[in-house]
Every structure is written in C-alpha cells, then in structure tokens.
Amino acid sequence: MAFNGLSTALTGLSAHQRLVDLHAHNVANAATPGYSRQRLELTSQGPGQAGGIFSRANEIGAGVRTGSISRLRNAFLEARAITEHGLMGKSTVEVETYSFIEDIFPEPIGDGIAARLDQLWGAFSDLADRPTSLPLRSQVLVEVEQVAGAFHLADQRLHALRDNAAERAEILSREVNTAAQTVADLNMHIVAARLGGMPTADLEDQRDLLAMRLADLTGAQVRTLENGSMTVSIGGSAIVSGPTARSLVVNDDGVNVSFTWDSPGGAPAVVPGGEIAGLAEATNNIVATYRGRLDNLASEVAAQVNAIHATGYGSDGVTGRNLFDPAGVTAATIAIDAAIVGNPAAVAAGGTSAPQDGDVARTLAALGEADNGPDAIFRDFIVTLGVEAGAAGRRAEMQQRVTADIDIARLAESGVNIDEELTGLVTAQHGYAAAARVITTVDEMLDTIINRLGVVGR
Amino acid sequence: MRVSTQSVQLSALTDLNRGMSSLLRAQAQATSGKRFTKASEDPAGSAASMTAKAEQRQVMRWQRSADDAAALLGHADNILVSVQERLERVQGLMIQANSGAIGDSSRQAVASELRAIREELLGYANTQNEGRSLFGGTEATAYDAAGVWVGNSAAQMRNLTKTKQVQVNIVGTDMFGAQAVAPADPLDGDLFQVLEVAATAIEANDTARAGQALTNIQGYSASIAQAQVTIGARSREVESARTLLADRVGDLDIRISDVEDAEMEKVFLDVMTRRAAYEASLSATSKLITPTLANFLR
C-alpha cells in the first residue's frame, strides 16, 4: 500500500487554490455590467483504472479533479429580457415623442394657438361694435398675422422634432453596426477558443452585453449555435451570422425613414422594435399625424374665415376679398392674403357698404363658439393628443416595470453575491489548510516509518 | 430565491426611482397649484378646462359689447332729453307768436330763434358716438344740412348672449320723420322741414299755417317720447344682461379652478406621505446595501 494521501492532498491544495482565484475573480467583477458569475466544476477522482476481476485496486479515490469554468445564467430569463428590452426601447422613444409634441402645444394651461385664435375673434368682435374705426381694422390684420405666426411656429417645431428623430435613428444605426461587427469578431474568437479548449466565459459575457444593446436599439433576436457562435437577427434577417456582420442603413427622404441592408445593397430591412423602431414610428407616424392634423386646422381656419369675410364689404366699399391667402393652405404656408397686407380698409366689417355696418365682423367673431369652428377643432386636437400621449405613457410605464422585473430576476441569477463568494472563500481557505494538514500528517507517518521503524535493539 | 449584489442594487434603485418620481409629481402639483399641466395627465379635465376658458373669453367679449350697448343707449337717451327740451321751447315760442300778443319785430326774433333751434336739433339728429351716428342707421349722417334724410333704416345690433341681441340705435325717421321724396307741401315733411315752415309762417303772421305746423311738431314730440320709452326698455335689458354676464364670468372662474386647480390640503398631505415613504425606503436601502459578510468575519 502506497501513501496515496500525498498526491490526493496535492489535488486538494491546487483545487482550493484555483477556487480562491475564482472567488477573487467573481468578487472583482461584482459590479461589472453583463458579468455572469463563474463556477469551477469540481469532480471527485476515482481510484485509478478499473481493476481486473480478481485483483483489487486501491478502493479510495485519488482526490479532486478541477474541470472547466462555467457561467451561471438562466437562458430562459436572458431570452425574455432580450424581447422585453426591444419592446421597452420602442415604447420609451414613443412616449418621449408625445411629450415633446405636448410641449409644442402648451394648452390647456399655457397659451398657444387657442389664445391667438381667441385674440382674432376678439378683434372681430371689437370691430363689429365700432365698424368706423380704422385702427380696429388694422388690429384684425395684426391678429391674422399672429394666428399665421402661431401655426408656423408649431409646424416648424414639429418639423424639427421629425428631423431630430430621423437624425437620431441614423446615429443609433452606426452604434448598431459597430456592435454587430464586434459580435461577429467575438463569434470568431469564441469558436476558435472552444476548439482549443480555452475558457470563453468572459468573451461570452461581453457578447451577451452587446446582444442586449442590439435588442435595446433594434428589437434584435438572438440564437446561440452548437459551436458557440451567436446569430443576431433583426426582423427575421440576420445582421450577424458567424464571423460576418451586415450593416443596417437608415434612409431619410425628408418625409419617411426607411431601412435597408448594405448587402445585398438596398435590400429592405424591417426593424421591429427598439429605440430605432420607436424613432421611425415617431417620424413616419406620430409626428406626421400631428402635422396632418395641424395642416387640417390651418386650412379650416383660413377657409371658414375667408368664406364669411368674402361676403362683407371693406370700408372702401369693395367686397369678395379674402383675409387669408386661399391657395394650398397648410400650417407651414398659412398667411395673410397679399392683397390685404397694409390695407386695413380692405378688412370687411359689414354685409353692406354702409360705413357703420358690423354684421359680417359679428358673424366672424361668432366662429369662436361655432360647433365645428376652429376652436372646437383645436380642442379636439388637444384632447386627442392628451389621450394618445397618456396611453403611450401608460404603455411605457408598464413595459418599464416588466423589463425592470426581468432584469432583477436575471441579475439575481447571474450576478455575484458577495456573501456567497466570501462563504466560498472561507470554505476554500479551510479546505486548503486541511489539505496542507493532510500532507503534514502523511509526512509524520513517513517519518515514523523512516526514523522510528527498525530501531529495536540498537 | 437567489439574490445577487447587483440584483439587490437594481431592485433598490428601481424602487427608489419610483418613490422619487411619485414624490416629484406631488411636488409639481404643490408648486404649480395645478392638478395637471399637460393634456395627457387628464384629457377629460383638459377638455373641460379649454371649453370653460373659451366660454369665459366669449362671455367677456359679450360684456364688452354690452358695455358698448349701454354707452350708446345712454348717449341716445341724453340727446333725446335735450331734443325734448328744445321742442318744448319751440312750442312755447309758437303759442306765444300765434296769440297775436307780440309785434312784428318780436315775431322776427321768434322766427330766427326757431331757425337756430332747427340747426341745433339737426346737430342732435346727427350726433356721433366715437364716430358712429346714433340715428342714421348704418350711414354716417342721418340728415343733411337741408334737413333731408340721408341715413338708412338698418338696425345696429349688439350681442348680449349667443342667442340674444339688442338693437342699440333708434332710426332717425321714427322720431324726426322722413322726406325721401320731397312732399308737395313742406308742412308734410320731416321735423326740420316743418320747423322751417313754422319760422316762415310766423314771419308772415300766417297763424293758420303756424298752428298746423305746431300740431305736426307736437306729433314729432310724441314720437320722440315713444323712442325714449323704447330706449329705456332696451337699457334695462342691457343692464340685466350685464349682471348675468358678470355672474357668468365668476361662475366660470370657479369652474376653471375646480377643473384645473389642485386641492392644496390633499396635495400637501400627498407630498408629506410620499416624502415619508421615500425617506423610509432610503433608510431601509442604506441598511440593506452596506453590510456584507466581510463586516462580520474576523
């Protein structure tokens, strides 16, 4: 019988030494984003080769064998997190967009287009009471220009919002392409490292972190293949496949934002989620819708005011004139009619050319309370904005809660628990000390044999 | 369930953020005094607030119109009082002249006073308020220098409410008569024609024609008295509308405040409660995050 204890204790010493190293690695990365805690796979070593039928080998095992290092993470939670992050990116951008639009229209508390329209009705009302007053006619012209100015300002700000969203989508697409390229490079390294039997845990962490960022930006989906390589796809087509990556191209034609792949060049891409999808939704849909509604309001204001104004007579006795330029009215183009600029006498107050007739101005003033008048349309505009923005806000809040819950759950699974690491450290330390004590014991046993045996009769 | 240092941190941070943003919302209500500042926070309330504000501004426009109506009617009333005074003087003069108790030279004096009064009355008939003729319909002049009607009979209306309007002018022809086509005998003409006839008749000592003129003048005086009654009725209508409109503005102030303004007691209570909750979670988090096993190992 040999003193196997020495070599057994040696495996214990080195295993516990590695355990201490690994706990040190885990503790050092307790705050590293995307780090998954690692575990050293330990197995007990059996008693050598299986013996023959009649011969008996050593029955006691030969110590501990250290295996590979594995990452502890829950693949199911990770997959759900990828999906939820994609949804959250989109809903967050949408709610931001609505909030910007609400800033552009400060109603109901602040004064915006509604206040300007009200000033116009007030000017008509005053003119109706004092049709002979030229200053009050000039006042009408001023208010008409103010109304047009308020529309221009709102439209410009909506337009700037659209441009910003499109530009931000373009900038984020560059981040997507860089991240995709890095994932492809990591794929190459991981596959090669695996073939060489090298540990890949830290590389995989880095890759998972990038995949999560891609999900945040584009709603990408992820699949890991047998050989360790990761396929990332956006809207069903792969942006990263093995060691190669494609580029997502954002095209802005000034109206809509669309996506294509760089290879094959110009192939259309679908971005289903993430911030970029939210930005596309903002430009193509949300802002476009509100610009359309604002255009509609502007054209209603011009048409309704003109229709009544044209029936009236200016103080110069001429009838049939427009107050707003009637050609192709949008929020960007609504303007005072060129023929009436600087000519307050052309503002119509009466239904006849009599100098003290204010009937038409009175009818114009009553537009403010008309059931389908500009004020009513604008109120509807604000309420619709409020309802849609509120719904988007609630969706985003719910999505944020779900995403936070998933993140907490997966961090609980993959994150480092310092208490646990310290406990492990204490265990490893004691294990190391015990293994060292075994060696001392065997040493003393050998000492007994070598120095104490065979001294009888000396 | 397993926890990790990071999951504890994230979970604590999420909860703290929620507490903080809830505290901020209450704080915003407390500092602005408004229940909502954006339409999305209360779409129904926003609609109510915008409707009430629009109505209030509309009511204020009606108030301005009603003030103007009161001013115009009051002005017309004052003018008509003066007109009546002058007509009483005319009647006194004519009765005196027709009694035969005065001589030729006195009759001349009466005639010239009548002509002076005629000019004065013509001025009253063409009275303007802020450049607006009171009695000329929608024309700037009611009677020209010859006493011929050049106005029209259009009504000048002022809105008192959405459905209620009041006429603020009395058409001159209703009081002073009209002479669209010159009548065969000026005696059948308007007040100014008749006054001229009266002056001529007194100069000529034509008592029959002067008597006829006096009768016609008395008729016009009655018409003017009728107009004064009409103006009085309309003024009362305007006054009651002004009271109602002022009440309405106050009601709408209350309604807007009901919809928009936060209840301060509730808001302050909210702020205190949320602040207490936030501080509690801060203190709990600090106790949870700080210690690890390292604090307790030798």
Side-chain angles (χ1 to χ4, degrees):
Chain A
M1 182 178 139
F3 283 94
N4 285 337
L6 264 186
S7 64
T8 305
L10 189 61
T11 64
L13 276 184
S14 73
H16 286 112
Q17 215 173 341
R18 287 198 69 190
L19 268 182
V20 169
D21 289 350
L22 192 67
H23 287 307
H25 187 54
N26 278 343
V27 169
N29 285 299
T32 309
Y35 179 77
S36 308
R37 69 194 161 103
Q38 298 179 1
R39 188 168 64 190
L40 183 61
E41 301 295 348
L42 296 176
T43 44
S44 62
Q45 197 166 331
Q49 294 99 339
I53 296 171
F54 299 108
S55 70
R56 300 290 294 268
N58 191 355
E59 288 163 357
I60 301 171
V64 61
R65 180 169 30 212
T66 55
S68 59
I69 292 169
S70 56
R71 297 192 303 159
L72 292 176
R73 54 203 280 125
N74 183 326
F76 172 69
L77 284 177
E78 297 297 327
R80 274 206 59 195
I82 289 259
T83 310
E84 299 299 346
H85 272 251
L87 293 173
M88 187 182 79
K90 187 168 184 229
S91 65
T92 307
V93 171
E94 280 176 15
V95 79
E96 260 175 36
T97 307
Y98 274 114
S99 165
F100 287 139
I101 297 179
E102 282 197 294
D103 289 343
I104 295 175
F105 300 99
E107 281 83 8
I109 303 298
D111 280 347
I113 289 178
R116 295 281 82 75
L117 284 174
D118 184 68
Q119 296 280 337
L120 180 61
W121 312 140
F124 281 132
S125 177
D126 290 345
L127 177 60
D129 291 352
R130 291 171 176 79
T132 51
S133 164
L134 199 61
L136 286 179
R137 286 177 202 261
S138 301
Q139 184 67 26
V140 168
L141 291 185
V142 171
E143 297 302 346
V144 165
E145 276 174 354
Q146 292 277 326
V147 166
F151 274 108
H152 294 172
L153 186 65
D155 188 69
Q156 279 161 14
R157 294 180 70 188
L158 282 178
H159 193 78
L161 184 58
R162 193 218 81 91
D163 285 352
N164 283 346
E167 195 186 329
R168 216 171 113 202
E170 208 280 317
I171 291 169
L172 288 180
S173 78
R174 283 183 234 158
E175 191 184 340
V176 167
N177 295 335
T178 315
Q181 189 53 53
T182 316
V183 169
D185 292 349
L186 284 168
N187 271 345
M188 200 168 67
H189 290 307
I190 288 169
V191 170
R194 276 209 177 184
L195 287 174
M198 307 273 288
T200 57
D202 296 300
L203 292 176
E204 285 178 54
D205 278 347
Q206 218 179 320
R207 193 177 62 178
D208 285 343
L209 196 63
L210 287 168
M212 192 60 79
R213 182 71 188 138
L214 284 172
D216 274 333
L217 292 174
T218 63
Q221 291 290 330
V222 168
R223 199 155 51 87
T224 311
L225 304 179
E226 200 72 10
N227 65 355
S229 167
M230 175 188 269
T231 305
V232 183
S233 48
I234 297 175
S237 42
I239 183 167
V240 182
S241 168
T244 56
R246 292 202 278 177
S247 286
L248 185 66
V249 182
V250 174
N251 312 293
D252 178 16
D253 61 5
V255 180
N256 285 325
V257 164
S258 60
F259 306 105
T260 49
W261 295 113
D262 67 331
S263 70
V270 177
V271 179
E275 286 179 43
I276 292 183
L279 290 166
E281 171 77 10
T283 44
N284 301 357
N285 235 330
I286 302 173
V287 177
T289 304
Y290 281 94
R291 287 187 75 193
R293 287 181 189 159
L294 194 65
D295 285 348
N296 175 46
L297 177 67
S299 101
E300 280 289 334
V301 168
Q304 293 192 13
V305 168
N306 280 345
I308 298 172
H309 188 266
T311 65
Y313 290 78
S315 61
D316 54 4
V318 179
T319 183
R321 279 187 291 220
N322 287 315
L323 210 45
F324 287 101
D325 188 347
V329 177
T330 64
T333 63
I334 186 172
I336 189 166
D337 196 275
I340 214 165
V341 177
N343 183 14
V347 174
T352 64
S353 57
Q356 290 178 197
D357 188 347
D359 281 351
V360 162
R362 191 165 295 112
T363 315
L364 281 166
L367 270 181
E369 76 215 60
D371 286 341
N372 290 314
D375 280 30
I377 298 174
F378 187 61
R379 261 199 305 281
D380 188 49
F381 177 99
I382 291 295
V383 171
T384 311
L385 174 60
V387 169
E388 290 184 359
R394 281 187 295 279
R395 270 202 306 277
E397 197 175 329
M398 205 177 67
Q399 188 59 45
Q400 259 158 12
R401 272 171 192 259
V402 170
T403 312
D405 286 351
I406 293 279
D407 279 348
I408 290 169
R410 79 190 170 91
L411 279 181
E413 196 67 39
S414 65
V416 175
N417 181 330
I418 289 178
D419 294 349
E420 188 183 64
E421 299 304 327
L422 285 177
T423 316
L425 201 58
V426 170
T427 313
Q429 191 187 4
H430 284 305
Y432 187 85
R437 177 60 59 87
V438 168
I439 288 175
T440 318
T441 309
V442 174
D443 179 45
E444 281 178 11
M445 284 160 76
L446 285 171
D447 181 58
T448 305
I449 291 172
I450 294 165
N451 296 324
R452 303 271 185 83
L453 281 184
V455 294
V456 175
R458 252 193 211 170
Chain B
M1 183 186 157
R2 185 180 193 278
V3 292
S4 70
T5 311
Q6 276 183 325
S7 76
V8 168
Q9 273 175 3
L10 181 61
S11 166
L13 206 61
T14 313
D15 288 343
L16 284 180
N17 272 338
R18 257 176 232 166
M20 185 66 157
S21 69
S22 139
L23 177 61
L24 275 181
R25 268 202 303 278
Q27 192 95 38
Q29 285 191 355
T31 47
S32 72
K34 300 283 179 199
R35 229 160 36 79
F36 53 86
T37 51
K38 285 182 168 188
S40 57
E41 291 164 42
D42 184 354
S46 310
S49 145
M50 286 178 76
T51 313
K53 278 184 178 168
E55 187 181 344
Q56 193 181 41
R57 289 188 294 241
Q58 176 67 67
V59 169
M60 285 171 168
R61 289 201 284 273
W62 286 328
Q63 276 187 315
R64 288 212 297 277
S65 284
D67 291 349
D68 186 46
L72 286 173
L73 289 170
H75 194 183
D77 195 36
N78 289 340
I79 295 296
L80 292 186
V81 168
S82 307
V83 169
Q84 288 289 38
E85 266 173 29
R86 302 320 292 152
L87 285 182
E88 273 166 33
R89 172 77 182 148
V90 165
Q91 290 169 38
L93 284 172
M94 286 182 71
I95 290 165
Q96 195 188 1
N98 257 10
S99 68
I102 57 171
D104 271 0
S105 62
S106 298
R107 279 206 307 278
Q108 291 298 332
V110 167
S112 53
E113 187 173 351
L114 284 181
R115 288 205 175 88
I117 291 175
R118 177 185 173 278
E119 285 303 311
E120 197 184 339
L121 290 180
L122 200 55
Y124 285 140
N126 282 325
T127 307
Q128 291 194 331
N129 178 303
E130 295 180 41
R132 296 167 296 181
S133 161
L134 288 181
F135 307 117
T138 55
E139 293 293 349
T141 315
Y143 291 91
D144 66 11
V148 175
W149 170 249
V150 291
N152 63 26
S153 60
Q156 286 191 33
M157 309 301 285
R158 293 289 178 273
N159 287 343
L160 297 180
T161 66
K162 187 167 186 172
T163 50
K164 192 169 161 192
Q165 293 191 324
V166 66
Q167 184 176 352
V168 293
N169 65 332
I170 299 283
V171 176
T173 53
D174 292 347
M175 299 176 296
F176 309 121
Q179 199 202 25
V181 181
D185 186 348
L187 192 60
D188 302 328
D190 58 36
L191 176 64
F192 312 104
Q193 300 284 320
V194 175
L195 279 170
E196 182 57 42
V197 169
T200 316
I202 285 167
E203 273 172 343
N205 203 8
D206 181 346
T207 49
R209 198 165 166 79
Q212 191 63 49
L214 181 59
T215 314
N216 284 358
I217 287 168
Q218 281 165 343
Y220 284 124
S221 176
S223 303
I224 291 166
Q226 189 62 46
Q228 285 177 299
V229 172
T230 310
I231 287 175
R234 285 181 192 163
S235 294
R236 279 192 296 282
E237 198 181 342
V238 170
E239 273 319 303
S240 77
R242 284 168 88 182
T243 315
L244 287 177
L245 287 172
D247 288 352
R248 187 78 192 124
V249 169
D251 287 350
L252 285 166
D253 266 338
I254 294 171
R255 177 142 154 243
I256 292 168
S257 163
D258 275 352
V259 174
E260 278 187 2
D261 292 353
E263 280 175 64
M264 274 309 165
E265 301 84 348
K266 186 178 170 299
V267 168
F268 282 129
L269 202 63
D270 270 2
V271 171
M272 300 316 276
T273 319
R274 287 174 194 187
R275 201 185 144 150
Y278 181 61
E279 277 175 7
S281 62
L282 274 181
S283 130
T285 307
S286 72
K287 289 195 174 70
L288 181 69
I289 297 244
T290 326
T292 64
L293 193 54
N295 300 52
F296 301 97
L297 291 176
R298 288 178 287 113

